[in-house]
Amino acid sequence: MDYYKISEEPFNASQALKRDGMYRMSVCMATLAIDLLLKSVLYRVNSTSELLVGHNHIAIFREIEDHYPKPELRAVVKLSRKYFNDSRYSNKDNIPTFTEHLATDFIEYAQQVKNYVDINCQATLKDLQKRFNKLD
């Protein structure tokens, strides 16, 4: 599965939803983009990981951070995990939480995770050889 390619749609949707004033769904789509971006790296690192079928952003990040450390991203991943559920299963008490400012923040968080994946998590030749069992 091409998690990276699939992440483009919710990332773009988060921006469009924000423009349309649908802040809760903007946050929802940004957290989904983060989920898919992290899974794109996890799939390369461990394609049989049970984490690929869930949404535990924190555990996924811990596993890939062993290969591609980025401690400053931990807070973003924790927020993403929290709001992943909160944005989907909202109630009258938490709806006011989803503001334009929060939507803007989450679009930026998704961009930070994308930058991490694009810049810090580039596969090396050794990574690819290991992944495809071609080590000599």
Side-chain angles (χ1 to χ4, degrees), residues 9 44 57 66 72 77 83-84 90 101 116-117 123 127 132:
E9 189 173 14
R44 184 169 26 89
H57 303 173
D66 286 344
E72 58 272 25
V77 171
Y83 282 96
F84 189 86
S90 298
H101 178 74
Y116 166 70
V117 169
D127 292 336
F132 296 106

Side-chain angles (χ1 to χ4, degrees), residues 17-72:
L17 289 162
K18 179 186 166 259
R19 280 191 303 272
D20 290 343
M22 293 183 240
Y23 306 128
R24 182 179 65 85
M25 289 310 298
S26 174
V27 170
C28 180
M29 288 295 105
T31 63
L32 181 57
I34 290 169
D35 180 69
L36 293 165
L37 286 162
L38 292 174
K39 285 178 180 176
S40 74
V41 178
L42 178 61
Y43 186 77
R44 184 169 26 89
V45 171
N46 182 0
S47 64
T48 60
S49 175
E50 292 181 14
L51 294 170
L52 290 168
V53 296
H55 304 289
N56 190 340
H57 303 173
I58 297 165
I60 293 169
F61 185 67
R62 283 184 186 136
E63 188 163 337
I64 65 176
E65 195 181 26
D66 286 344
H67 301 273
Y68 308 103
K70 184 90 171 178
E72 58 272 25

Side-chain angles (χ1 to χ4, degrees), residues 94-107:
N94 75 353
I95 290 288
T97 304
F98 298 98
T99 63
E100 181 177 9
H101 178 74
L102 189 65
T104 300
D105 285 349
F106 268 89
I107 290 168

Side-chain angles (χ1 to χ4, degrees), residues 104-120:
T104 300
D105 285 349
F106 268 89
I107 290 168
E108 175 56 32
Y109 297 156
Q111 185 62 57
Q112 286 177 34
V113 173
K114 184 177 183 318
N115 291 346
Y116 166 70
V117 169
D118 290 347
I119 297 165
N120 300 92

